[in-house]
Amino acid sequence: PTQHLQQQLQQQLQQLQIQQSNSSKLLSQVDEKCYNYYENWMNQYNKAKKTQDKFQAYLVQHNKLILQQIESEQQEIAVLKENISILSKSSQVFQSWMSKQSFPNSMSDFLVPADPRSAQVIQIVATDHYIEDATYFLNKALENCQISIQDWIKAVRSLSKEQYQQRALLLKILTQ
């Protein structure tokens, strides 16, 4: 009976050793998985931290640039305010001087033709400039889609015809 008991105890001991060995292997595997998980997590954390640090540096740099730009704009505003003040004072001085002067009421009062032929030349040149201005504004209206192409063609054709007649008349007057 003791021998049998010893054998049973030895078998139980062997089973315990096998279980302990299996437990050690399992514990080793769990330990390795935990270490791998931790290592992977640390790598991700470090990458995220580096990205965050780079972004933070970027934000700090842009913040400095924005503050410099604001300071520059404030200085420019101060200079502009000073220039406005100077221009305002100069304008007041000029208006005061103008009010004391006597000038003709219109531009035509400045141009006094020497004879009827000169008066006609002045009128023709003024009409030519008026037609040039009108054509310019028609072109701008067409560019901005404010008039149709048909209306633009009609207006430009009419103005061009008038301009041609005015220039022909001017040449006739100047060659006489």
Side-chain angles (χ1 to χ4, degrees):
T2 46
Q3 200 175 31
H4 179 63
L5 188 60
Q6 264 184 348
Q7 281 180 344
Q8 281 181 343
L9 283 175
Q10 265 189 343
Q11 283 177 349
Q12 285 179 355
L13 183 62
Q14 284 176 349
Q15 286 176 351
L16 281 175
Q17 286 175 344
I18 290 172
Q19 285 178 352
Q20 185 179 10
S21 172
N22 287 341
S23 293
S24 292
K25 286 179 187 176
L26 186 60
L27 186 59
S28 174
Q29 289 174 349
V30 168
D31 189 42
E32 186 177 335
K33 284 185 180 183
C34 285
Y35 179 77
N36 288 339
Y37 176 77
Y38 172 76
E39 191 174 74
N40 187 21
W41 183 83
M42 282 303 291
N43 287 337
Q44 289 177 354
Y45 171 79
N46 287 335
K47 285 179 186 177
K49 182 71 172 146
K50 284 180 185 178
T51 302
Q52 182 184 12
D53 290 345
K54 286 180 184 178
F55 186 67
Q56 185 67 29
Y58 172 81
L59 289 177
V60 167
Q61 181 183 10
H62 274 322
N63 189 30
K64 287 179 184 177
L65 289 173
I66 289 171
L67 290 176
Q68 289 173 351
Q69 187 67 30
I70 288 172
E71 184 178 328
S72 171
E73 295 293 329
Q74 287 174 339
Q75 290 172 355
E76 191 172 332
I77 287 171
V79 167
L80 289 173
K81 284 182 179 178
E82 184 178 332
N83 288 343
I84 288 171
S85 173
I86 291 170
L87 285 174
S88 178
K89 289 176 185 175
S90 297
S91 174
Q92 288 173 356
V93 169
F94 180 72
Q95 287 176 353
S96 171
W97 178 79
M98 286 289 290
S99 67
K100 295 175 186 173
Q101 306 301 317
S102 62
F103 289 105
N105 292 333
S106 69
M107 216 35 196
S108 61
D109 293 340
F110 278 110
L111 298 173
V112 179
D115 55 21
R117 185 175 167 208
S118 298
Q120 194 175 14
V121 168
I122 290 171
Q123 182 62 37
I124 292 170
V125 170
T127 302
D128 185 63
H129 287 292
Y130 142 76
I131 292 171
E132 286 291 324
D133 291 345
T135 304
Y136 170 81
F137 286 109
L138 280 170
N139 289 337
K140 286 296 181 186
L142 181 65
E143 285 176 15
N144 295 329
C145 299
Q146 293 173 336
I147 62 171
S148 69
I149 189 76
Q150 291 84 8
D151 292 339
W152 178 82
I153 290 172
K154 287 178 186 176
V156 169
R157 182 172 183 253
S158 173
L159 286 172
S160 297
K161 184 177 178 181
E162 176 69 23
Q163 189 175 37
Y164 175 79
Q165 291 171 349
Q166 292 294 319
R167 287 182 180 179
L169 182 59
L170 180 63
L171 283 175
K172 184 177 177 183
I173 291 171
L174 292 177
T175 55
Q176 288 180 351

